[in-house]
Amino acid sequence: VDEVRDIYSATFPELTNATVEGPEDKGDKLVYKFVKTAGAKG
């Protein structure tokens, strides 16, 4: 999952600080979610 996040972070920079939730069992698949971390600008 971390390797997938690293690959997609080149296209989606908000994933660099995202946390991973899961896995959640959905039938015969495991689903992971990338959750954006809220940060302060400044």
Side-chain angles (χ1 to χ4, degrees):
V1 176
D2 292 329
E3 291 176 14
V4 172
R5 180 180 59 192
D6 292 342
I7 291 169
Y8 280 109
S9 66
T11 306
F12 304 101
E14 61 270 14
L15 290 179
T16 56
N17 294 330
T19 58
V20 178
E21 288 185 357
E24 183 180 332
D25 188 16
K26 296 239 179 172
D28 60 344
K29 298 178 183 174
L30 295 176
V31 177
Y32 292 85
K33 292 182 182 181
F34 295 112
V35 180
K36 198 164 47 165
T37 305
K41 273 187 157 180

PDB file of all heavy atoms in Angstrom:
ATOM      1  N   VAL A   1       0.837  -1.196   0.000  1.00  0.00           N
ATOM      2  CA  VAL A   1       0.000   0.000   0.000  1.00  0.00           C
ATOM      3  C   VAL A   1       0.879   1.255   0.000  1.00  0.00           C
ATOM      4  O   VAL A   1       0.579   2.211  -0.697  1.00  0.00           O
ATOM      5  CB  VAL A   1      -0.941  -0.008   1.220  1.00  0.00           C
ATOM      6  CG1 VAL A   1      -1.748   1.250   1.284  1.00  0.00           C
ATOM      7  CG2 VAL A   1      -1.836  -1.210   1.198  1.00  0.00           C
ATOM      8  N   ASP A   2       1.951   1.228   0.770  1.00  0.00           N
ATOM      9  CA  ASP A   2       2.843   2.394   0.806  1.00  0.00           C
ATOM     10  C   ASP A   2       3.511   2.629  -0.546  1.00  0.00           C
ATOM     11  O   ASP A   2       3.691   3.774  -0.959  1.00  0.00           O
ATOM     12  CB  ASP A   2       3.907   2.230   1.889  1.00  0.00           C
ATOM     13  CG  ASP A   2       3.313   2.284   3.286  1.00  0.00           C
ATOM     14  OD1 ASP A   2       2.298   2.987   3.472  1.00  0.00           O
ATOM     15  OD2 ASP A   2       3.874   1.637   4.184  1.00  0.00           O
ATOM     16  N   GLU A   3       3.842   1.565  -1.251  1.00  0.00           N
ATOM     17  CA  GLU A   3       4.453   1.710  -2.567  1.00  0.00           C
ATOM     18  C   GLU A   3       3.466   2.302  -3.565  1.00  0.00           C
ATOM     19  O   GLU A   3       3.847   3.129  -4.400  1.00  0.00           O
ATOM     20  CB  GLU A   3       4.957   0.363  -3.066  1.00  0.00           C
ATOM     21  CG  GLU A   3       6.141  -0.151  -2.286  1.00  0.00           C
ATOM     22  CD  GLU A   3       6.585  -1.533  -2.724  1.00  0.00           C
ATOM     23  OE1 GLU A   3       6.160  -2.000  -3.795  1.00  0.00           O
ATOM     24  OE2 GLU A   3       7.362  -2.145  -1.979  1.00  0.00           O
ATOM     25  N   VAL A   4       2.206   1.901  -3.470  1.00  0.00           N
ATOM     26  CA  VAL A   4       1.170   2.462  -4.352  1.00  0.00           C
ATOM     27  C   VAL A   4       1.012   3.952  -4.074  1.00  0.00           C
ATOM     28  O   VAL A   4       0.946   4.764  -4.995  1.00  0.00           O
ATOM     29  CB  VAL A   4      -0.175   1.724  -4.158  1.00  0.00           C
ATOM     30  CG1 VAL A   4      -1.288   2.414  -4.919  1.00  0.00           C
ATOM     31  CG2 VAL A   4      -0.039   0.272  -4.573  1.00  0.00           C
ATOM     32  N   ARG A   5       0.993   4.322  -2.791  1.00  0.00           N
ATOM     33  CA  ARG A   5       0.879   5.736  -2.427  1.00  0.00           C
ATOM     34  C   ARG A   5       2.062   6.527  -2.977  1.00  0.00           C
ATOM     35  O   ARG A   5       1.892   7.623  -3.508  1.00  0.00           O
ATOM     36  CB  ARG A   5       0.803   5.897  -0.912  1.00  0.00           C
ATOM     37  CG  ARG A   5       0.684   7.356  -0.492  1.00  0.00           C
ATOM     38  CD  ARG A   5       0.616   7.529   0.980  1.00  0.00           C
ATOM     39  NE  ARG A   5       1.822   6.974   1.570  1.00  0.00           N
ATOM     40  CZ  ARG A   5       1.981   6.749   2.860  1.00  0.00           C
ATOM     41  NH1 ARG A   5       1.012   6.995   3.691  1.00  0.00           N
ATOM     42  NH2 ARG A   5       3.091   6.250   3.319  1.00  0.00           N
ATOM     43  N   ASP A   6       3.271   5.971  -2.893  1.00  0.00           N
ATOM     44  CA  ASP A   6       4.453   6.657  -3.400  1.00  0.00           C
ATOM     45  C   ASP A   6       4.379   6.865  -4.908  1.00  0.00           C
ATOM     46  O   ASP A   6       4.766   7.915  -5.415  1.00  0.00           O
ATOM     47  CB  ASP A   6       5.719   5.878  -3.035  1.00  0.00           C
ATOM     48  CG  ASP A   6       5.988   5.881  -1.542  1.00  0.00           C
ATOM     49  OD1 ASP A   6       5.420   6.746  -0.831  1.00  0.00           O
ATOM     50  OD2 ASP A   6       6.757   5.018  -1.085  1.00  0.00           O
ATOM     51  N   ILE A   7       3.873   5.876  -5.627  1.00  0.00           N
ATOM     52  CA  ILE A   7       3.754   5.990  -7.086  1.00  0.00           C
ATOM     53  C   ILE A   7       2.746   7.064  -7.467  1.00  0.00           C
ATOM     54  O   ILE A   7       3.009   7.916  -8.312  1.00  0.00           O
ATOM     55  CB  ILE A   7       3.373   4.635  -7.705  1.00  0.00           C
ATOM     56  CG1 ILE A   7       4.541   3.653  -7.563  1.00  0.00           C
ATOM     57  CG2 ILE A   7       2.955   4.790  -9.156  1.00  0.00           C
ATOM     58  CD1 ILE A   7       4.196   2.223  -7.900  1.00  0.00           C
ATOM     59  N   TYR A   8       1.575   7.044  -6.823  1.00  0.00           N
ATOM     60  CA  TYR A   8       0.520   8.005  -7.169  1.00  0.00           C
ATOM     61  C   TYR A   8       0.781   9.401  -6.618  1.00  0.00           C
ATOM     62  O   TYR A   8       0.168  10.367  -7.069  1.00  0.00           O
ATOM     63  CB  TYR A   8      -0.837   7.502  -6.691  1.00  0.00           C
ATOM     64  CG  TYR A   8      -1.438   6.482  -7.624  1.00  0.00           C
ATOM     65  CD1 TYR A   8      -1.516   5.147  -7.262  1.00  0.00           C
ATOM     66  CD2 TYR A   8      -1.918   6.850  -8.872  1.00  0.00           C
ATOM     67  CE1 TYR A   8      -2.054   4.205  -8.120  1.00  0.00           C
ATOM     68  CE2 TYR A   8      -2.454   5.920  -9.739  1.00  0.00           C
ATOM     69  CZ  TYR A   8      -2.524   4.603  -9.356  1.00  0.00           C
ATOM     70  OH  TYR A   8      -3.050   3.678 -10.214  1.00  0.00           O
ATOM     71  N   SER A   9       1.684   9.549  -5.652  1.00  0.00           N
ATOM     72  CA  SER A   9       1.946  10.875  -5.093  1.00  0.00           C
ATOM     73  C   SER A   9       2.634  11.792  -6.105  1.00  0.00           C
ATOM     74  O   SER A   9       2.588  13.005  -5.959  1.00  0.00           O
ATOM     75  CB  SER A   9       2.775  10.773  -3.818  1.00  0.00           C
ATOM     76  OG  SER A   9       4.065  10.274  -4.098  1.00  0.00           O
ATOM     77  N   ALA A  10       3.240  11.213  -7.146  1.00  0.00           N
ATOM     78  CA  ALA A  10       3.817  12.045  -8.201  1.00  0.00           C
ATOM     79  C   ALA A  10       2.715  12.778  -8.970  1.00  0.00           C
ATOM     80  O   ALA A  10       2.892  13.917  -9.395  1.00  0.00           O
ATOM     81  CB  ALA A  10       4.639  11.189  -9.154  1.00  0.00           C
ATOM     82  N   THR A  11       1.566  12.128  -9.128  1.00  0.00           N
ATOM     83  CA  THR A  11       0.435  12.727  -9.827  1.00  0.00           C
ATOM     84  C   THR A  11      -0.482  13.489  -8.879  1.00  0.00           C
ATOM     85  O   THR A  11      -1.043  14.520  -9.239  1.00  0.00           O
ATOM     86  CB  THR A  11      -0.380  11.634 -10.537  1.00  0.00           C
ATOM     87  OG1 THR A  11       0.500  10.884 -11.379  1.00  0.00           O
ATOM     88  CG2 THR A  11      -1.483  12.234 -11.386  1.00  0.00           C
ATOM     89  N   PHE A  12      -0.635  12.963  -7.664  1.00  0.00           N
ATOM     90  CA  PHE A  12      -1.520  13.556  -6.658  1.00  0.00           C
ATOM     91  C   PHE A  12      -0.689  13.920  -5.425  1.00  0.00           C
ATOM     92  O   PHE A  12      -0.554  13.117  -4.504  1.00  0.00           O
ATOM     93  CB  PHE A  12      -2.631  12.579  -6.267  1.00  0.00           C
ATOM     94  CG  PHE A  12      -3.447  12.097  -7.438  1.00  0.00           C
ATOM     95  CD1 PHE A  12      -3.218  10.844  -7.990  1.00  0.00           C
ATOM     96  CD2 PHE A  12      -4.434  12.894  -7.987  1.00  0.00           C
ATOM     97  CE1 PHE A  12      -3.967  10.390  -9.062  1.00  0.00           C
ATOM     98  CE2 PHE A  12      -5.186  12.454  -9.066  1.00  0.00           C
ATOM     99  CZ  PHE A  12      -4.948  11.207  -9.612  1.00  0.00           C
ATOM    100  N   PRO A  13      -0.116  15.123  -5.364  1.00  0.00           N
ATOM    101  CA  PRO A  13       0.788  15.494  -4.270  1.00  0.00           C
ATOM    102  C   PRO A  13       0.148  15.450  -2.879  1.00  0.00           C
ATOM    103  O   PRO A  13       0.849  15.295  -1.887  1.00  0.00           O
ATOM    104  CB  PRO A  13       1.222  16.912  -4.607  1.00  0.00           C
ATOM    105  CG  PRO A  13       0.654  17.249  -5.919  1.00  0.00           C
ATOM    106  CD  PRO A  13      -0.266  16.160  -6.347  1.00  0.00           C
ATOM    107  N   GLU A  14      -1.178  15.544  -2.806  1.00  0.00           N
ATOM    108  CA  GLU A  14      -1.829  15.502  -1.495  1.00  0.00           C
ATOM    109  C   GLU A  14      -1.693  14.132  -0.832  1.00  0.00           C
ATOM    110  O   GLU A  14      -1.927  13.989   0.367  1.00  0.00           O
ATOM    111  CB  GLU A  14      -3.299  15.902  -1.589  1.00  0.00           C
ATOM    112  CG  GLU A  14      -4.153  15.026  -2.463  1.00  0.00           C
ATOM    113  CD  GLU A  14      -4.230  15.471  -3.909  1.00  0.00           C
ATOM    114  OE1 GLU A  14      -3.429  16.305  -4.343  1.00  0.00           O
ATOM    115  OE2 GLU A  14      -5.102  14.951  -4.628  1.00  0.00           O
ATOM    116  N   LEU A  15      -1.302  13.121  -1.589  1.00  0.00           N
ATOM    117  CA  LEU A  15      -1.127  11.784  -1.020  1.00  0.00           C
ATOM    118  C   LEU A  15       0.159  11.645  -0.216  1.00  0.00           C
ATOM    119  O   LEU A  15       0.301  10.698   0.550  1.00  0.00           O
ATOM    120  CB  LEU A  15      -1.135  10.722  -2.130  1.00  0.00           C
ATOM    121  CG  LEU A  15      -2.468  10.476  -2.817  1.00  0.00           C
ATOM    122  CD1 LEU A  15      -2.296   9.424  -3.903  1.00  0.00           C
ATOM    123  CD2 LEU A  15      -3.519  10.033  -1.823  1.00  0.00           C
ATOM    124  N   THR A  16       1.099  12.575  -0.377  1.00  0.00           N
ATOM    125  CA  THR A  16       2.364  12.441   0.345  1.00  0.00           C
ATOM    126  C   THR A  16       2.163  12.480   1.852  1.00  0.00           C
ATOM    127  O   THR A  16       2.908  11.842   2.588  1.00  0.00           O
ATOM    128  CB  THR A  16       3.369  13.534  -0.071  1.00  0.00           C
ATOM    129  OG1 THR A  16       2.768  14.807   0.130  1.00  0.00           O
ATOM    130  CG2 THR A  16       3.784  13.376  -1.509  1.00  0.00           C
ATOM    131  N   ASN A  17       1.160  13.198   2.327  1.00  0.00           N
ATOM    132  CA  ASN A  17       0.882  13.277   3.763  1.00  0.00           C
ATOM    133  C   ASN A  17      -0.361  12.498   4.162  1.00  0.00           C
ATOM    134  O   ASN A  17      -0.800  12.594   5.305  1.00  0.00           O
ATOM    135  CB  ASN A  17       0.713  14.738   4.184  1.00  0.00           C
ATOM    136  CG  ASN A  17       1.994  15.510   4.040  1.00  0.00           C
ATOM    137  OD1 ASN A  17       3.077  14.958   4.176  1.00  0.00           O
ATOM    138  ND2 ASN A  17       1.879  16.788   3.741  1.00  0.00           N
ATOM    139  N   ALA A  18      -0.931  11.744   3.259  1.00  0.00           N
ATOM    140  CA  ALA A  18      -2.167  11.008   3.544  1.00  0.00           C
ATOM    141  C   ALA A  18      -1.876   9.791   4.418  1.00  0.00           C
ATOM    142  O   ALA A  18      -0.805   9.195   4.358  1.00  0.00           O
ATOM    143  CB  ALA A  18      -2.824  10.561   2.250  1.00  0.00           C
ATOM    144  N   THR A  19      -2.858   9.437   5.225  1.00  0.00           N
ATOM    145  CA  THR A  19      -2.769   8.213   6.015  1.00  0.00           C
ATOM    146  C   THR A  19      -3.602   7.136   5.328  1.00  0.00           C
ATOM    147  O   THR A  19      -4.489   7.426   4.532  1.00  0.00           O
ATOM    148  CB  THR A  19      -3.288   8.427   7.450  1.00  0.00           C
ATOM    149  OG1 THR A  19      -4.630   8.890   7.393  1.00  0.00           O
ATOM    150  CG2 THR A  19      -2.441   9.445   8.187  1.00  0.00           C
ATOM    151  N   VAL A  20      -3.299   5.889   5.656  1.00  0.00           N
ATOM    152  CA  VAL A  20      -3.970   4.756   5.036  1.00  0.00           C
ATOM    153  C   VAL A  20      -4.928   4.141   6.043  1.00  0.00           C
ATOM    154  O   VAL A  20      -4.548   3.871   7.182  1.00  0.00           O
ATOM    155  CB  VAL A  20      -2.950   3.708   4.564  1.00  0.00           C
ATOM    156  CG1 VAL A  20      -3.654   2.516   3.956  1.00  0.00           C
ATOM    157  CG2 VAL A  20      -1.982   4.306   3.570  1.00  0.00           C
ATOM    158  N   GLU A  21      -6.172   3.943   5.629  1.00  0.00           N
ATOM    159  CA  GLU A  21      -7.164   3.245   6.444  1.00  0.00           C
ATOM    160  C   GLU A  21      -7.490   1.926   5.776  1.00  0.00           C
ATOM    161  O   GLU A  21      -7.627   1.844   4.567  1.00  0.00           O
ATOM    162  CB  GLU A  21      -8.451   4.067   6.569  1.00  0.00           C
ATOM    163  CG  GLU A  21      -8.330   5.268   7.439  1.00  0.00           C
ATOM    164  CD  GLU A  21      -9.674   5.967   7.616  1.00  0.00           C
ATOM    165  OE1 GLU A  21     -10.679   5.541   7.007  1.00  0.00           O
ATOM    166  OE2 GLU A  21      -9.702   6.951   8.355  1.00  0.00           O
ATOM    167  N   GLY A  22      -7.647   0.907   6.569  1.00  0.00           N
ATOM    168  CA  GLY A  22      -8.049  -0.374   6.004  1.00  0.00           C
ATOM    169  C   GLY A  22      -7.082  -1.460   6.404  1.00  0.00           C
ATOM    170  O   GLY A  22      -6.200  -1.239   7.212  1.00  0.00           O
ATOM    171  N   PRO A  23      -7.285  -2.603   5.907  1.00  0.00           N
ATOM    172  CA  PRO A  23      -8.163  -2.977   4.816  1.00  0.00           C
ATOM    173  C   PRO A  23      -9.596  -3.233   5.285  1.00  0.00           C
ATOM    174  O   PRO A  23      -9.833  -3.599   6.427  1.00  0.00           O
ATOM    175  CB  PRO A  23      -7.555  -4.260   4.281  1.00  0.00           C
ATOM    176  CG  PRO A  23      -6.899  -4.877   5.464  1.00  0.00           C
ATOM    177  CD  PRO A  23      -6.428  -3.722   6.309  1.00  0.00           C
ATOM    178  N   GLU A  24     -10.531  -2.999   4.392  1.00  0.00           N
ATOM    179  CA  GLU A  24     -11.942  -3.278   4.619  1.00  0.00           C
ATOM    180  C   GLU A  24     -12.341  -4.379   3.650  1.00  0.00           C
ATOM    181  O   GLU A  24     -12.069  -4.305   2.460  1.00  0.00           O
ATOM    182  CB  GLU A  24     -12.763  -2.013   4.357  1.00  0.00           C
ATOM    183  CG  GLU A  24     -14.230  -2.172   4.635  1.00  0.00           C
ATOM    184  CD  GLU A  24     -14.988  -0.885   4.366  1.00  0.00           C
ATOM    185  OE1 GLU A  24     -14.404   0.205   4.473  1.00  0.00           O
ATOM    186  OE2 GLU A  24     -16.184  -0.986   4.034  1.00  0.00           O
ATOM    187  N   ASP A  25     -12.957  -5.416   4.170  1.00  0.00           N
ATOM    188  CA  ASP A  25     -13.337  -6.564   3.359  1.00  0.00           C
ATOM    189  C   ASP A  25     -14.613  -6.251   2.583  1.00  0.00           C
ATOM    190  O   ASP A  25     -15.643  -5.962   3.162  1.00  0.00           O
ATOM    191  CB  ASP A  25     -13.546  -7.776   4.254  1.00  0.00           C
ATOM    192  CG  ASP A  25     -13.743  -9.055   3.481  1.00  0.00           C
ATOM    193  OD1 ASP A  25     -13.421  -9.079   2.290  1.00  0.00           O
ATOM    194  OD2 ASP A  25     -14.214 -10.039   4.080  1.00  0.00           O
ATOM    195  N   LYS A  26     -14.509  -6.274   1.260  1.00  0.00           N
ATOM    196  CA  LYS A  26     -15.670  -6.043   0.385  1.00  0.00           C
ATOM    197  C   LYS A  26     -15.780  -7.231  -0.559  1.00  0.00           C
ATOM    198  O   LYS A  26     -15.207  -7.222  -1.650  1.00  0.00           O
ATOM    199  CB  LYS A  26     -15.491  -4.758  -0.423  1.00  0.00           C
ATOM    200  CG  LYS A  26     -15.433  -3.519   0.425  1.00  0.00           C
ATOM    201  CD  LYS A  26     -16.522  -2.582   0.053  1.00  0.00           C
ATOM    202  CE  LYS A  26     -16.442  -1.357   0.944  1.00  0.00           C
ATOM    203  NZ  LYS A  26     -17.315  -0.333   0.545  1.00  0.00           N
ATOM    204  N   GLY A  27     -16.479  -8.252  -0.114  1.00  0.00           N
ATOM    205  CA  GLY A  27     -16.618  -9.456  -0.930  1.00  0.00           C
ATOM    206  C   GLY A  27     -15.304 -10.194  -1.001  1.00  0.00           C
ATOM    207  O   GLY A  27     -14.756 -10.610   0.008  1.00  0.00           O
ATOM    208  N   ASP A  28     -14.765 -10.319  -2.198  1.00  0.00           N
ATOM    209  CA  ASP A  28     -13.498 -11.018  -2.368  1.00  0.00           C
ATOM    210  C   ASP A  28     -12.322 -10.062  -2.525  1.00  0.00           C
ATOM    211  O   ASP A  28     -11.252 -10.449  -2.971  1.00  0.00           O
ATOM    212  CB  ASP A  28     -13.573 -11.958  -3.585  1.00  0.00           C
ATOM    213  CG  ASP A  28     -13.855 -11.216  -4.882  1.00  0.00           C
ATOM    214  OD1 ASP A  28     -14.288 -10.054  -4.812  1.00  0.00           O
ATOM    215  OD2 ASP A  28     -13.644 -11.803  -5.954  1.00  0.00           O
ATOM    216  N   LYS A  29     -12.508  -8.782  -2.133  1.00  0.00           N
ATOM    217  CA  LYS A  29     -11.454  -7.773  -2.264  1.00  0.00           C
ATOM    218  C   LYS A  29     -11.194  -7.098  -0.930  1.00  0.00           C
ATOM    219  O   LYS A  29     -12.079  -7.009  -0.083  1.00  0.00           O
ATOM    220  CB  LYS A  29     -11.859  -6.709  -3.280  1.00  0.00           C
ATOM    221  CG  LYS A  29     -12.055  -7.260  -4.663  1.00  0.00           C
ATOM    222  CD  LYS A  29     -12.496  -6.192  -5.613  1.00  0.00           C
ATOM    223  CE  LYS A  29     -12.748  -6.822  -6.973  1.00  0.00           C
ATOM    224  NZ  LYS A  29     -13.313  -5.896  -7.923  1.00  0.00           N
ATOM    225  N   LEU A  30      -9.975  -6.620  -0.749  1.00  0.00           N
ATOM    226  CA  LEU A  30      -9.628  -5.791   0.390  1.00  0.00           C
ATOM    227  C   LEU A  30      -9.470  -4.365  -0.109  1.00  0.00           C
ATOM    228  O   LEU A  30      -8.744  -4.109  -1.062  1.00  0.00           O
ATOM    229  CB  LEU A  30      -8.325  -6.266   1.035  1.00  0.00           C
ATOM    230  CG  LEU A  30      -8.371  -7.653   1.660  1.00  0.00           C
ATOM    231  CD1 LEU A  30      -6.982  -8.038   2.166  1.00  0.00           C
ATOM    232  CD2 LEU A  30      -9.374  -7.708   2.791  1.00  0.00           C
ATOM    233  N   VAL A  31     -10.162  -3.429   0.536  1.00  0.00           N
ATOM    234  CA  VAL A  31     -10.178  -2.039   0.093  1.00  0.00           C
ATOM    235  C   VAL A  31      -9.433  -1.185   1.112  1.00  0.00           C
ATOM    236  O   VAL A  31      -9.691  -1.250   2.315  1.00  0.00           O
ATOM    237  CB  VAL A  31     -11.626  -1.530  -0.072  1.00  0.00           C
ATOM    238  CG1 VAL A  31     -11.644  -0.062  -0.468  1.00  0.00           C
ATOM    239  CG2 VAL A  31     -12.365  -2.376  -1.085  1.00  0.00           C
ATOM    240  N   TYR A  32      -8.486  -0.409   0.618  1.00  0.00           N
ATOM    241  CA  TYR A  32      -7.743   0.541   1.442  1.00  0.00           C
ATOM    242  C   TYR A  32      -8.161   1.941   1.029  1.00  0.00           C
ATOM    243  O   TYR A  32      -8.454   2.194  -0.133  1.00  0.00           O
ATOM    244  CB  TYR A  32      -6.236   0.388   1.216  1.00  0.00           C
ATOM    245  CG  TYR A  32      -5.674  -0.911   1.722  1.00  0.00           C
ATOM    246  CD1 TYR A  32      -5.702  -2.056   0.936  1.00  0.00           C
ATOM    247  CD2 TYR A  32      -5.116  -0.991   2.980  1.00  0.00           C
ATOM    248  CE1 TYR A  32      -5.179  -3.246   1.391  1.00  0.00           C
ATOM    249  CE2 TYR A  32      -4.587  -2.180   3.449  1.00  0.00           C
ATOM    250  CZ  TYR A  32      -4.621  -3.302   2.648  1.00  0.00           C
ATOM    251  OH  TYR A  32      -4.112  -4.470   3.103  1.00  0.00           O
ATOM    252  N   LYS A  33      -8.162   2.878   1.987  1.00  0.00           N
ATOM    253  CA  LYS A  33      -8.510   4.266   1.693  1.00  0.00           C
ATOM    254  C   LYS A  33      -7.353   5.172   2.073  1.00  0.00           C
ATOM    255  O   LYS A  33      -6.732   4.991   3.115  1.00  0.00           O
ATOM    256  CB  LYS A  33      -9.743   4.701   2.493  1.00  0.00           C
ATOM    257  CG  LYS A  33     -11.010   4.025   2.078  1.00  0.00           C
ATOM    258  CD  LYS A  33     -12.174   4.544   2.887  1.00  0.00           C
ATOM    259  CE  LYS A  33     -13.448   3.830   2.510  1.00  0.00           C
ATOM    260  NZ  LYS A  33     -14.595   4.338   3.285  1.00  0.00           N
ATOM    261  N   PHE A  34      -7.076   6.136   1.219  1.00  0.00           N
ATOM    262  CA  PHE A  34      -6.116   7.182   1.533  1.00  0.00           C
ATOM    263  C   PHE A  34      -6.903   8.362   2.086  1.00  0.00           C
ATOM    264  O   PHE A  34      -7.781   8.886   1.430  1.00  0.00           O
ATOM    265  CB  PHE A  34      -5.343   7.622   0.295  1.00  0.00           C
ATOM    266  CG  PHE A  34      -4.470   6.538  -0.275  1.00  0.00           C
ATOM    267  CD1 PHE A  34      -4.754   5.971  -1.503  1.00  0.00           C
ATOM    268  CD2 PHE A  34      -3.376   6.084   0.417  1.00  0.00           C
ATOM    269  CE1 PHE A  34      -3.956   4.989  -2.030  1.00  0.00           C
ATOM    270  CE2 PHE A  34      -2.555   5.090  -0.101  1.00  0.00           C
ATOM    271  CZ  PHE A  34      -2.850   4.542  -1.320  1.00  0.00           C
ATOM    272  N   VAL A  35      -6.572   8.776   3.303  1.00  0.00           N
ATOM    273  CA  VAL A  35      -7.289   9.869   3.956  1.00  0.00           C
ATOM    274  C   VAL A  35      -6.328  11.052   4.068  1.00  0.00           C
ATOM    275  O   VAL A  35      -5.238  10.936   4.631  1.00  0.00           O
ATOM    276  CB  VAL A  35      -7.778   9.443   5.355  1.00  0.00           C
ATOM    277  CG1 VAL A  35      -8.513  10.581   6.033  1.00  0.00           C
ATOM    278  CG2 VAL A  35      -8.668   8.224   5.258  1.00  0.00           C
ATOM    279  N   LYS A  36      -6.784  12.180   3.510  1.00  0.00           N
ATOM    280  CA  LYS A  36      -5.954  13.385   3.517  1.00  0.00           C
ATOM    281  C   LYS A  36      -5.812  13.916   4.936  1.00  0.00           C
ATOM    282  O   LYS A  36      -6.794  14.004   5.681  1.00  0.00           O
ATOM    283  CB  LYS A  36      -6.601  14.430   2.613  1.00  0.00           C
ATOM    284  CG  LYS A  36      -5.667  15.517   2.205  1.00  0.00           C
ATOM    285  CD  LYS A  36      -6.105  16.359   1.028  1.00  0.00           C
ATOM    286  CE  LYS A  36      -7.506  16.850   1.035  1.00  0.00           C
ATOM    287  NZ  LYS A  36      -7.769  17.917   0.065  1.00  0.00           N
ATOM    288  N   THR A  37      -4.599  14.250   5.313  1.00  0.00           N
ATOM    289  CA  THR A  37      -4.330  14.799   6.627  1.00  0.00           C
ATOM    290  C   THR A  37      -4.519  16.313   6.580  1.00  0.00           C
ATOM    291  O   THR A  37      -3.974  16.971   5.700  1.00  0.00           O
ATOM    292  CB  THR A  37      -2.886  14.475   7.056  1.00  0.00           C
ATOM    293  OG1 THR A  37      -2.687  13.080   6.981  1.00  0.00           O
ATOM    294  CG2 THR A  37      -2.612  14.937   8.477  1.00  0.00           C
ATOM    295  N   ALA A  38      -5.299  16.839   7.521  1.00  0.00           N
ATOM    296  CA  ALA A  38      -5.525  18.288   7.577  1.00  0.00           C
ATOM    297  C   ALA A  38      -4.280  18.951   8.142  1.00  0.00           C
ATOM    298  O   ALA A  38      -3.700  18.489   9.114  1.00  0.00           O
ATOM    299  CB  ALA A  38      -6.730  18.599   8.446  1.00  0.00           C
ATOM    300  N   GLY A  39      -3.871  20.022   7.516  1.00  0.00           N
ATOM    301  CA  GLY A  39      -2.694  20.748   7.969  1.00  0.00           C
ATOM    302  C   GLY A  39      -2.957  22.236   7.998  1.00  0.00           C
ATOM    303  O   GLY A  39      -3.945  22.716   7.458  1.00  0.00           O
ATOM    304  N   ALA A  40      -2.062  22.926   8.641  1.00  0.00           N
ATOM    305  CA  ALA A  40      -2.192  24.376   8.731  1.00  0.00           C
ATOM    306  C   ALA A  40      -1.274  25.041   7.706  1.00  0.00           C
ATOM    307  O   ALA A  40      -0.147  24.620   7.513  1.00  0.00           O
ATOM    308  CB  ALA A  40      -1.826  24.844  10.135  1.00  0.00           C
ATOM    309  N   LYS A  41      -1.799  26.031   7.040  1.00  0.00           N
ATOM    310  CA  LYS A  41      -0.984  26.810   6.115  1.00  0.00           C
ATOM    311  C   LYS A  41      -0.316  27.927   6.905  1.00  0.00           C
ATOM    312  O   LYS A  41      -0.876  28.465   7.829  1.00  0.00           O
ATOM    313  CB  LYS A  41      -1.856  27.431   5.025  1.00  0.00           C
ATOM    314  CG  LYS A  41      -2.084  26.565   3.845  1.00  0.00           C
ATOM    315  CD  LYS A  41      -2.803  27.372   2.792  1.00  0.00           C
ATOM    316  CE  LYS A  41      -2.564  26.779   1.435  1.00  0.00           C
ATOM    317  NZ  LYS A  41      -3.237  27.538   0.407  1.00  0.00           N
ATOM    318  N   GLY A  42       0.856  28.265   6.459  1.00  0.00           N
ATOM    319  CA  GLY A  42       1.454  29.388   7.143  1.00  0.00           C
ATOM    320  C   GLY A  42       2.871  29.630   6.815  1.00  0.00           C
ATOM    321  O   GLY A  42       3.575  29.146   6.091  1.00  0.00           O
TER     322      GLY A  42
END
